[in-house]
Amino acid sequence: MSGTALPAGPREHRLADLSPRKIVAELDRHVVGQGRAKRAVAIALRDRWRRQSLPREQAREITPKNILMIGPTGVGKTEIARRLARLTDAPFVKVEASKFTEVGYVGRDVDSIARDLVEAAIRLVKDERRSRVMDRAAAAAEEKLVDLLVRATAVDPVTGTAGVAEGRDRIRRDLREGRHETREVELEVADDRTPQISVMTPQGVEEMGIDLPGMLPGLFGGPKKKKKTRLPVSDARPLLLEAEADLLTDEATVPQEAIRRVEETGIVFLDEIDKIAGREGSRGGPDVSREGVQRDLLPLVEGTTVKTKHGLVRTDHVLFVAAGAFHVARPSDLIPELQGRFPIRVELNALSEDDFLRILTEPEHALPKQAAALLSADGIEVVFDREGLSAIAAAAAELNRNLENIGARRLHTILEKVLEEVSFAGPDAAGARVVIDGAYVGRALADLVKNRDLSRFVL
């Protein structure tokens, strides 16, 4: 079967329709600028589909073109990788490489990256399968509620005497019109009093090959005891919906599909890779620990097999995207073997005042749009005019120049300060229309502009 291409799932078919140009266009909807980085990840993503179109034996020999992103914090490195994964519904985990230099994290725990990726894939597959059966599950849950309401109507819960059962059609109609939301029904639910125990060992129970959850299911997240309880319809409905969706979903094949997704489309974002860039030398100390983490990561990036509670998973074709500011260390400070596993290197630019203004206006879910939507829940209409947005962008650029440069994250803190008064007013300001113009921003930030020490503390 060496001439047969790798099997394609529905997500691979979606990827077939995404050219690198289309991928960049999709990323442009959420991330401003950084064209070189977007092109690099777009090509890497397309190469995955190309590899899956080749004969099996040839495809096995083609390794992913892992990417090293170099640039200051807050310029879009994480968001590019995250959006890339969402674009193709690929399993995705973000890991801070510096965490593995801490006591108790060196060595064995590096394999937890693969295990976390499998868990992410399982959630992804479950959500996909549940969404496909949700209409049927909703109909079945409704019928269960009708049964429970008929039973509750037939027997008086106080006296225990039989009453006159309402017609099922009438109950169903009233249920859909929301007339039974506060009525109580008797339902079997999981008993939360069942103790849940987490066991930590030096190697981890998975690596020891001990199936403690199977041996003691009640203690390790297995099936819980059931108890009967009375709940209002509004609370019973989601529980019934979840139960019916579980019945309609083929849970047995979820781990198998999840592992396949990880091996073919998984993406790992290794943040703060520069924090472990150090080589063993005469100084010893932290540099030894950092090089140790690099050597622990190397097999995972090169391709290895990791044991998980769902089965063995290979990382040979997982795409690794590493990122770091590299203010002090340089990419060449990484051990040569690890450097060689990140052949694609792209440098991301620091953000300018114009970039900040674009971030506030261009993305589909820009921060001002999110803020306005949140405040609309309290009946407050918030309108940002161009001058106001320009003032916010100018303040972000100035504070990044004079304080620590945290990139676009500065916009979050400034926007919170600008909207602090109206946010605090909440429902008391219902019906108000607030225009965020240049003068409004100036007043809101006046104290911070006067007092740089305070701005350093707040922002």
Side-chain angles (χ1 to χ4, degrees):
M1 296 290 290
S2 61
T4 305
L6 293 171
R11 304 302 157 187
E12 286 78 0
H13 289 306
R14 175 184 294 184
L15 186 57
D17 297 328
L18 287 173
S19 68
R21 202 176 301 277
K22 287 182 180 179
I23 294 169
V24 170
E26 286 293 323
L27 292 174
D28 283 341
R29 295 172 54 203
H30 306 283
V31 182
V32 168
Q34 313 301 359
R36 284 179 295 178
K38 291 174 182 175
R39 286 172 64 93
V41 297
I43 292 171
L45 194 62
R46 185 63 182 180
D47 278 345
R48 291 192 142 188
W49 176 82
R50 291 167 177 153
R51 187 187 73 84
Q52 291 165 7
S53 303
L54 299 176
R56 285 178 182 268
E57 293 302 322
Q58 190 175 11
R60 288 195 187 100
E61 300 302 318
I62 298 176
T63 56
K65 293 184 176 67
N66 296 324
I67 301 165
L68 178 61
M69 294 184 181
I70 304 166
T73 185
V75 297
K77 301 187 294 292
T78 305
E79 192 63 14
I80 287 174
R82 196 190 312 277
R83 292 291 174 180
L84 192 71
R86 289 183 185 178
L87 188 59
T88 56
D89 289 336
F92 173 84
V93 293
K94 176 188 174 184
V95 181
E96 293 181 6
S98 58
K99 290 291 184 184
F100 295 100
T101 62
E102 298 175 6
V103 175
Y105 281 85
V106 177
R108 55 160 181 94
D109 280 301
V110 169
D111 283 350
S112 68
I113 295 172
R115 290 193 284 270
D116 288 345
L117 197 58
V118 172
E119 293 299 330
I122 283 177
R123 289 192 296 271
L124 195 67
V125 174
K126 281 185 176 180
D127 288 345
E128 287 177 7
R129 293 189 176 184
R130 288 167 74 92
S131 66
R132 290 200 293 264
V133 301
M134 200 51 69
D135 288 343
R136 292 160 56 199
E142 183 182 74
E143 288 304 309
K144 287 285 178 67
L145 276 176
V146 171
D147 290 340
L148 293 170
L149 286 168
V150 168
R151 194 179 310 157
T153 304
V155 178
D156 189 297
V158 178
T159 65
T161 58
V164 179
E166 299 180 47
R168 292 182 63 87
D169 291 341
R170 179 182 173 184
I171 289 180
R172 187 181 296 105
R173 182 178 65 251
D174 289 346
L175 190 63
R176 292 174 180 176
E177 293 175 357
R179 296 178 183 173
H180 292 306
E181 295 302 289
T182 59
R183 285 186 62 179
E184 289 191 345
V185 293
E186 189 173 77
L187 199 64
E188 270 198 347
V189 298
D191 189 349
D192 291 331
R193 293 173 299 179
T194 303
Q196 299 291 303
I197 299 177
S198 297
V199 174
M200 298 300 294
T201 65
Q203 284 84 24
V205 293
E206 291 182 10
E207 293 177 2
M208 293 175 64
I210 300 175
D211 183 20
L212 289 177
M215 294 164 59
L216 302 169
L219 300 182
F220 296 91
K224 295 183 180 180
K225 292 182 178 179
K226 298 283 188 177
K227 66 175 182 179
K228 288 187 177 182
T229 187
R230 296 191 65 81
L231 294 171
V233 167
S234 58
D235 292 340
R237 183 183 289 105
L239 296 177
L240 288 170
L241 182 62
E242 183 177 353
E244 292 300 325
D246 286 341
L247 289 174
L248 293 168
T249 303
D250 184 7
E251 295 282 338
T253 60
V254 166
Q256 179 184 351
E257 171 63 12
I259 288 174
R260 188 192 72 81
R261 294 272 189 94
V262 166
E263 293 181 339
E264 297 298 328
T265 67
I267 298 176
V268 172
F269 184 78
L270 286 171
D271 201 9
E272 297 185 345
I273 194 77
D274 54 319
K275 301 289 180 64
I276 62 166
R279 298 184 182 181
E280 185 175 356
S282 57
R283 290 178 299 169
D287 282 348
V288 177
S289 173
R290 294 182 189 125
E291 181 173 341
V293 175
Q294 292 181 60
R295 296 203 177 277
D296 289 331
L297 283 170
L298 188 59
L300 201 67
V301 179
E302 285 181 329
T304 189
T305 301
V306 177
K307 181 180 176 60
T308 78
K309 64 182 179 182
H310 304 290
L312 299 177
V313 60
R314 294 197 59 84
T315 66
D316 299 64
H317 296 101
V318 171
L319 177 65
F320 287 85
V321 180
F326 288 98
H327 291 313
V328 178
R330 298 170 298 174
S332 57
D333 289 330
L334 294 167
I335 60 174
E337 300 94 325
L338 195 59
Q339 287 184 54
R341 285 294 168 174
F342 291 90
I344 309 299
R345 297 185 183 181
V346 289
E347 189 167 348
L348 285 82
N349 303 318
L351 299 173
S352 66
E353 184 176 327
D354 288 341
D355 291 328
F356 286 137
L357 184 57
R358 291 181 61 197
I359 290 170
L360 290 169
T361 55
E362 292 182 11
E364 186 174 337
H365 301 289
L367 291 176
K369 296 176 185 175
Q370 295 179 28
L374 283 173
L375 289 169
S376 69
D378 279 330
I380 305 170
E381 182 185 1
V382 176
V383 179
F384 291 85
D385 74 2
R386 189 75 178 182
E387 284 187 6
L389 293 172
S390 296
I392 293 172
E398 181 185 357
L399 287 167
N400 275 350
R401 282 193 299 269
N402 295 311
L403 304 175
E404 184 180 357
N405 188 346
I406 59 173
R409 293 184 179 91
R410 185 73 68 185
L411 293 172
H412 289 267
T413 49
I414 290 180
L415 201 58
E416 285 300 312
K417 186 63 180 175
V418 168
L419 295 174
E420 182 179 20
E421 185 177 340
V422 65
S423 293
F424 183 76
D428 296 335
R433 186 176 189 268
V434 181
V435 178
I436 310 297
D437 54 18
Y440 190 104
V441 174
R443 289 193 302 271
L445 300 180
D447 290 341
L448 298 181
V449 172
K450 290 177 183 176
N451 192 334
R452 285 292 173 80
D453 290 336
L454 180 60
S455 68
R456 182 184 297 274
F457 175 75
V458 174
L459 299 176

